[in-house]
Amino acid sequence: MTSTTEELTATSLLRFATAGSVDDGKSTLVGRLLHDSKSVLVDQLEAVKQASRRRGQESPDLALLTDGLRAEREQGITIDVAYRYFATPRRRFILADTPGHVQYTRNMVTGASTAELAVVLVDARNGVLEQTRRHAAVAALLRVPHVVLAVNKMDLVGYDEAVFAQITGEFTAYAARLGVNDIVTVPISALAGDNVVEPSTHMDWYTGPTLLEHLETVRVDTDPADAPARFPVQYVIRPQRGEFHDYRGYAGQLASGALRTGDTVTVLPSGRTGTISGIDVLGRSADIASVGQSVTLRLAEDLDISRGDLLAAGPPPRLTQDVEATVCHLHDRPLKAGDKVLLKHTTRTVRAVVKEIACRIDITAPIEEGGLDQHTDVQELRVNDIGKVLLRTAEPLALDDYRDNQRTGSFLLIDPADGTTRTAGMVGTTGLVTPDWPHHV
Amino acid sequence: MTTVTPTPLFHPTHLDALEAESVHIFREVAGEFERPTILFSGGKDSIVMLHLALKAFWPAPVPFSLLHVDTGHNFPEVIEYRDRVVAEHGLTLHVAHVQDFIDDGRLVERPDGTRNPLQTVPLLDAIERNRFDAVFGGGRRDEEKARAKERVFSLRDEFGAWDPRRQRPELWSLYNGKHAVGEHVRVFPLSNWTELDVWQYIEREKIELPEIYYAHERDVFARGGMWLTAGEWGGPKEHEPTERRMIRYRTVGDMSCTGAVDSDAVAIADVIAEIAASRLTERGATRADDKLSEAAMEDRKREGYF
């Protein structure tokens, strides 16, 4: 009762993603986190117990808590991400649980796109595998701020410190090549419960936090308020009635930085400038709006501003029709040079053409076997491929590099014919690994 | 202007973050769709949706209509609440009556008298007749296994059906609402909220709810492990004795399948304490229709249910 009451006071939120296949024990790990944090309710646990008994298992199979849908089993597909919610007295969690099989890269890119932390899971018996490298690369590519390597099934290697040290050494070296330096490594057994929620009694040599402890305490910084302000306009609010007859407000969510009344903002792509005369935070007047807040801005000047425009302060974004980006291709139909697409960037969607597939990046092989090499001889990017492309848009876009601003540096490529989301893109010439970018005129 | 502080970092609580995300979703739909509507049952999730929509477009009116699928077995307190809120905010309400479909033979009453599963046909009919292209639902991912994999923008074909193969990967906060004529998109602005979040938000925002959400005395009878309210829809049967108990509802749906729980929670703080301490999910505790089978929700969802 104490813990549930305390739970009410936890107001900090961590969004994180797990990556790994069923074989790594990911479902068991997720089930264990939910179960041991007492987030599994009686009726859910009862359903799992019944299903386990039907399958002839003695103890409840926690993996069943995250079992797939019948439609997935019937159609042999995996829906990319399942979201789980749990809370401890210290923090609330939104977990993007990404399946490891089939659409592996696509799934993890999707889950990692909103994550502040990624848990990469490996089987202690197998060590760093192709998909471990893939997961590390995706976390690096998506710039997930914190990475945790959880070495699972330690019970099956006799809780041997040397095994753990070997795996973490190899992983850390690979991750360093990707530019990921903030890595926490935890030896666990999801099945036995070692170091997931409760400290292990079998691994005295490990003195670090349990996985949950780390999740509860890792510092999640919001972007600094002194970052350049970016405000994509979603909608123009014009009541045209009563006391608000002349009210004209620009509704949106602040993508970065902070804006105050009196600040000068540049409207892009037009380039005109205006002064913020008022900030309404969902019906309440305020002097300042900060990153993440959904607000409505009023300007002193009468400017022509509509959905798709960007209000910016500080160092301006690039205004360009040529987009160089690192992309992850998400759809079965490959992406080729010459493809006509719709490019959805913040609140603006424009027509675009793929000018060039610059390279495909190998994110699965070990470094010494060509890992992270850029293959420039490719004609297309297939589903789950990571590569670099050059796009030309019909109208100029106000772009930041993804590394500087996730929200104004990311985009989707959409099929104009059927509306399918084909590709996820991250603006920037220095994406994965090497800063070298094929030179374009 | 206030005094300038060196680094005025905004430290949002989880409710601030959830609210900002939901408002963003409402505004995206307003910006990209022609004819959106909010599914409004008078249940707490739809009430929170409406509250968020009112805030998202203040001081302008909500640019969406409301749609209620009326099973004919509604709690009178909820209908009264619905009509009052609609009048107060000058909203447009569409009502699709399950009874009309039973009367003209398009639907057949189920032997158990439950009408929740019958809502899908009138819902899809209303969407088609009104040419709604975006339909806001109060579904949350924490409710149920089939919902855990639901997108914020969930594409439905011309039959209203949900095909897992056609669901698009959803990255960052970029929602792809492209759809063909005749198709529509279900939008779930409360996707990332939990039951507790919803209640804490109701408390923080002082949102009024229909009184059946709070503990009150009522004549009820036991069926299927739940307390049901007597009503014209077919209960209690002879072998089901009625008794007066202190109860409240955790969800509000069709009277024939929405059960009450024993409760002394007369105020919102009591409700929150009760939920935090509860070891049953709200659907497990109070929804007979979800107990039908392991994949009950999944099946109804594929057919076009909420």
Side-chain angles (χ1 to χ4, degrees):
Chain A
M1 191 65 205
T2 326
S3 75
T4 49
T5 313
E6 282 170 13
E7 230 167 76
L8 298 175
T9 61
T11 59
S12 120
L13 183 65
L14 179 77
R15 296 180 193 238
F16 75 108
T18 53
S21 77
V22 179
D23 308 332
D24 296 328
K26 184 177 63 63
S27 298
T28 309
L29 172 66
V30 172
R32 172 67 63 187
L33 277 172
L34 298 176
H35 178 263
D36 286 11
S37 65
K38 304 194 171 47
S39 303
V40 182
L41 302 177
V42 174
D43 51 333
Q44 293 172 321
L45 194 60
E46 191 50 44
V48 165
K49 282 180 181 162
Q50 282 181 13
S52 302
R53 275 198 294 275
R54 278 200 300 276
R55 297 176 192 202
Q57 290 161 305
E58 274 178 27
S59 54
D61 182 355
L62 295 179
L64 294 177
L65 282 171
T66 60
D67 203 12
L69 303 180
R70 200 174 61 205
E72 296 175 87
R73 294 193 291 277
E74 284 171 0
Q75 299 189 24
I77 57 166
T78 313
I79 297 176
D80 50 11
V81 185
Y83 293 88
R84 322 277 171 201
Y85 302 81
F86 65 101
T88 70
R90 284 165 158 179
R91 197 167 247 181
R92 286 157 191 263
F93 300 93
I94 299 179
L95 163 57
D97 183 12
T98 68
H101 288 312
V102 204
Q103 303 286 358
Y104 22 75
T105 304
R106 176 184 118 151
N107 297 342
M108 199 194 155
V109 167
T110 304
S113 72
T114 52
E116 297 156 301
L117 179 147
V119 178
V120 177
L121 202 62
V122 300
D123 183 329
R125 296 169 303 173
N126 303 328
V128 174
L129 297 177
E130 175 182 316
Q131 75 163 344
T132 319
R133 285 186 289 272
R134 190 198 313 273
H135 292 146
V138 168
L141 178 69
L142 273 288
R143 296 190 176 265
V144 179
H146 305 278
V147 175
V148 177
L149 177 73
V151 181
N152 192 23
K153 305 196 185 181
M154 287 299 294
D155 52 324
L156 300 183
V157 295
Y159 297 107
D160 186 352
E161 183 178 8
V163 173
F164 177 70
Q166 195 275 326
I167 294 170
T168 55
E170 186 181 346
F171 182 84
T172 309
Y174 183 78
R177 285 293 301 270
L178 294 162
V180 180
N181 295 312
D182 176 20
I183 298 170
V184 169
T185 57
V186 189
I188 66 168
S189 167
L191 197 63
D194 295 280
N195 286 337
V196 178
V197 172
E198 300 296 330
S200 173
T201 52
H202 301 105
M203 292 179 274
D204 293 343
W205 46 265
Y206 176 78
T207 54
T210 65
L211 179 60
L212 183 66
E213 218 176 310
H214 179 62
L215 296 174
E216 285 180 316
T217 54
V218 64
R219 217 180 127 185
V220 188
D221 289 318
T222 44
D223 292 346
D226 55 1
R230 300 287 186 260
F231 185 81
V233 175
Q234 288 187 273
Y235 192 75
V236 182
I237 293 177
R238 295 185 64 196
Q240 292 177 300
R241 62 172 189 185
E243 58 172 316
F244 296 106
H245 192 273
D246 297 322
Y247 184 99
R248 185 183 178 89
Y250 305 104
Q253 189 173 17
L254 207 64
S256 63
L259 287 170
R260 293 171 184 75
T261 47
D263 280 359
T264 301
V265 290
T266 305
V267 184
L268 294 164
S270 79
R272 293 176 199 283
T273 56
T275 314
I276 296 176
S277 60
I279 299 173
D280 295 314
V281 183
L282 309 179
R284 178 177 56 78
S285 177
D287 296 324
I288 182 167
S290 301
V291 55
Q293 280 187 297
S294 280
V295 300
T296 305
L297 302 181
R298 283 172 280 134
L299 298 186
E301 299 78 3
D302 192 10
L303 299 175
D304 181 18
I305 297 172
S306 57
R307 176 175 169 83
D309 286 341
L310 181 79
L311 307 188
R318 272 195 313 288
L319 199 60
T320 180
Q321 288 176 259
D322 294 299
V323 185
E324 292 172 330
T326 308
V327 300
C328 175
H329 191 61
L330 307 168
H331 197 259
D332 289 333
R333 195 161 63 254
L335 187 74
K336 295 176 179 159
D339 282 0
K340 302 282 200 319
V341 292
L342 293 172
L343 189 157
K344 187 177 176 76
H345 170 251
T346 65
T347 56
R348 192 176 186 86
T349 303
V350 299
R351 284 178 300 118
V353 60
V354 180
K355 297 291 282 185
E356 185 184 334
I357 305 288
C359 68
R360 183 180 66 79
I361 302 166
D362 187 332
I363 59 164
T364 57
I367 298 290
E368 56 276 13
E369 292 167 29
L372 304 178
D373 279 1
Q374 306 195 356
H375 301 275
T376 53
D377 54 344
V378 293
Q379 305 303 312
E380 59 182 31
L381 292 178
R382 296 180 189 165
V383 64
N384 295 313
D385 278 352
I386 305 279
K388 293 183 177 180
V389 303
L390 185 66
L391 301 149
R392 171 81 182 172
T393 60
E395 296 163 57
L397 293 173
L399 300 177
D400 287 301
D401 275 357
Y402 182 77
R403 66 167 171 203
D404 298 327
N405 195 319
Q406 282 203 358
R407 211 135 172 177
T408 52
S410 56
F411 62 83
L412 302 178
L413 298 184
I414 295 168
D415 190 316
D418 63 6
T420 312
T421 298
R422 297 183 68 192
T423 311
M426 285 143 282
V427 177
T429 55
T430 60
L432 209 52
V433 195
T434 80
D436 303 330
W437 181 261
H439 222 74
H440 296 283
V441 184
Chain B
M1 293 290 290
T2 52
T3 48
V4 178
T5 46
T7 44
L9 275 172
F10 173 58
H11 286 292
T13 66
H14 68 292
L15 291 180
D16 294 327
L18 292 170
E19 179 186 60
E21 179 180 85
S22 299
V23 165
H24 172 79
I25 293 164
F26 275 110
R27 290 165 166 181
E28 281 302 285
V29 171
E32 298 219 325
F33 290 83
E34 298 291 325
R35 296 177 67 84
T37 193
I38 300 175
L39 289 173
F40 190 81
S41 64
K44 68 179 187 316
D45 298 313
S46 63
I47 290 169
V48 166
M49 272 205 296
L50 177 60
H51 182 84
L52 288 162
L54 286 163
K55 290 185 85 169
F57 300 100
W58 181 95
V62 174
F64 317 125
S65 63
L66 303 186
L67 170 61
H68 182 213
V69 180
D70 183 342
T71 62
H73 293 160
N74 293 292
F75 294 93
E77 298 90 334
V78 176
I79 296 298
E80 182 274 323
Y81 177 96
R82 178 196 76 185
D83 293 341
R84 189 154 44 81
V85 166
V86 165
E88 188 182 330
H89 299 292
L91 300 161
T92 302
L93 172 72
H94 305 271
V95 183
H97 295 279
V98 171
Q99 189 63 51
D100 293 349
F101 286 72
I102 293 172
D103 291 347
D104 68 14
R106 280 180 287 172
L107 283 174
V108 178
E109 193 91 74
R110 292 162 51 100
D112 62 3
T114 296
R115 285 188 173 181
N116 254 24
L118 301 184
Q119 292 179 88
T120 302
V121 171
L123 169 66
L124 296 178
D125 178 73
I127 291 170
E128 194 176 327
R129 265 189 304 108
N130 292 287
R131 289 177 287 115
F132 292 130
D133 53 0
V135 180
F136 290 101
R140 308 188 316 266
R141 287 171 178 152
D142 81 320
E143 279 180 80
E144 213 274 336
K145 203 158 77 173
R147 293 224 195 262
K149 301 191 172 185
E150 184 59 283
R151 304 296 202 276
V152 174
F153 275 32
S154 177
L155 187 66
R156 303 302 164 102
D157 65 18
E158 64 265 48
F159 303 102
W162 175 78
D163 178 357
R165 267 185 201 279
R166 287 192 66 207
Q167 301 310 311
R168 298 155 178 168
E170 215 158 55
L171 294 99
W172 300 291
S173 50
L174 290 171
Y175 303 107
N176 177 358
K178 291 271 175 252
H179 60 281
V181 175
E183 297 182 336
H184 71 277
V185 177
R186 297 285 172 90
V187 181
F188 300 104
L190 305 183
S191 285
N192 284 326
W193 297 55
T194 64
E195 184 189 16
L196 191 55
D197 297 330
V198 168
W199 279 105
Q200 289 189 308
Y201 188 71
I202 289 167
E203 181 183 44
R204 186 183 92 168
E205 302 285 306
K206 301 186 174 63
I207 301 170
E208 190 206 335
L209 295 182
E211 54 262 44
I212 66 168
Y213 275 112
Y214 301 104
H216 58 285
E217 282 202 341
R218 182 180 282 262
D219 292 327
V220 291
F221 63 95
R223 183 183 291 174
M226 304 186 305
W227 296 114
L228 297 182
T229 299
E232 289 170 12
W233 52 270
K237 292 177 182 152
E238 265 180 35
H239 63 281
E240 295 172 323
T242 300
E243 56 185 293
R244 194 153 186 85
R245 298 186 75 90
M246 189 75 167
I247 55 98
R248 70 174 199 89
Y249 286 87
R250 278 178 79 181
T251 67
V252 166
D254 185 278
M255 281 175 91
S256 63
C257 69
T258 305
V261 292
D262 287 316
S263 173
D264 296 318
V266 292
I268 186 141
D270 309 330
V271 172
I272 291 173
E274 185 185 287
I275 287 163
S278 168
R279 296 287 91 193
L280 276 182
T281 63
E282 59 182 345
R283 284 198 171 269
T286 64
R287 284 297 180 88
D289 47 338
D290 290 330
K291 293 184 175 173
L292 294 175
S293 83
E294 213 181 325
M297 174 62 91
E298 185 184 344
D299 290 341
R300 280 181 293 145
K301 198 167 102 123
R302 294 194 67 175
E303 290 161 10
Y305 188 73
F306 300 119

